[in-house]
Every structure is written in C-alpha cells, then in structure tokens.
C-alpha cells in the first residue's frame, strides 16, 4: 500500500492528495488516471494526476 504524504483542503470541498508512488510517477503520462481506494474493500475511484515529482517519487491529485 502506498503512503499518503499530504492531504490538504484547498477550498471547501476541494482537496489535494499527494501519495508516495515511485513506480507510477516514473510511468504516468498526461491524460492518464490512477485508481484510488480508501482500503482493500473500498470503491475504486479514478482520478487524474495533477502533478508528479520524479525525484521524490510522488504523485498529486486534486478532487472534490
């Protein structure tokens, strides 16, 4: 399971989520999505990647 690095509320009901995922950060391309789940049995939520940091191995998404 990947580690959450940062979760910030940008404005009410808009959140920024940064996750440690070095394999994804190196392979992700513009327009692709990642699947986020709160736990193993949780719903699969597709989110677009807003930013990736190759040096830190993180990806960032923004969602409501």
């Amino acid at each position: 399971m990947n580690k959450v690095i940062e979760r910030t509320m940008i404005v009410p009901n808009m959140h920024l989520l940064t996750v440690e995922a070095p394999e994804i950060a190196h392979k992700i391309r513009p327009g692709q999505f990642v699947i986020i789940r709160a736990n193993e049995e949780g719903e699969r939520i597709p989110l677009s990647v807003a930013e990736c940091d190759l040096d830190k191995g993180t990806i960032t998404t923004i969602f409501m």
Side-chain angles (χ1 to χ4, degrees):
M1 184 170 287
N2 298 27
K3 181 180 176 185
V4 173
I5 304 298
E6 177 185 8
R7 181 173 180 201
T8 306
M9 185 186 302
I10 301 170
V11 295
N13 295 328
M14 183 75 67
H15 301 271
L16 179 136
L17 178 69
T18 302
V19 179
E20 184 179 76
E23 301 87 17
I24 296 172
H26 284 24
K27 294 180 182 180
I28 197 78
R29 297 291 176 248
Q32 292 184 322
F33 293 84
V34 293
I35 301 295
I36 304 291
R37 293 194 309 180
N39 58 44
E40 290 294 323
E41 296 81 31
E43 181 180 350
R44 295 167 44 102
I45 304 167
L47 296 173
S48 59
V49 176
E51 180 180 40
C52 67
D53 186 331
L54 299 176
D55 295 330
K56 294 180 183 176
T58 61
I59 59 170
T60 301
T61 62
I62 298 173
F63 64 94
M64 293 179 84

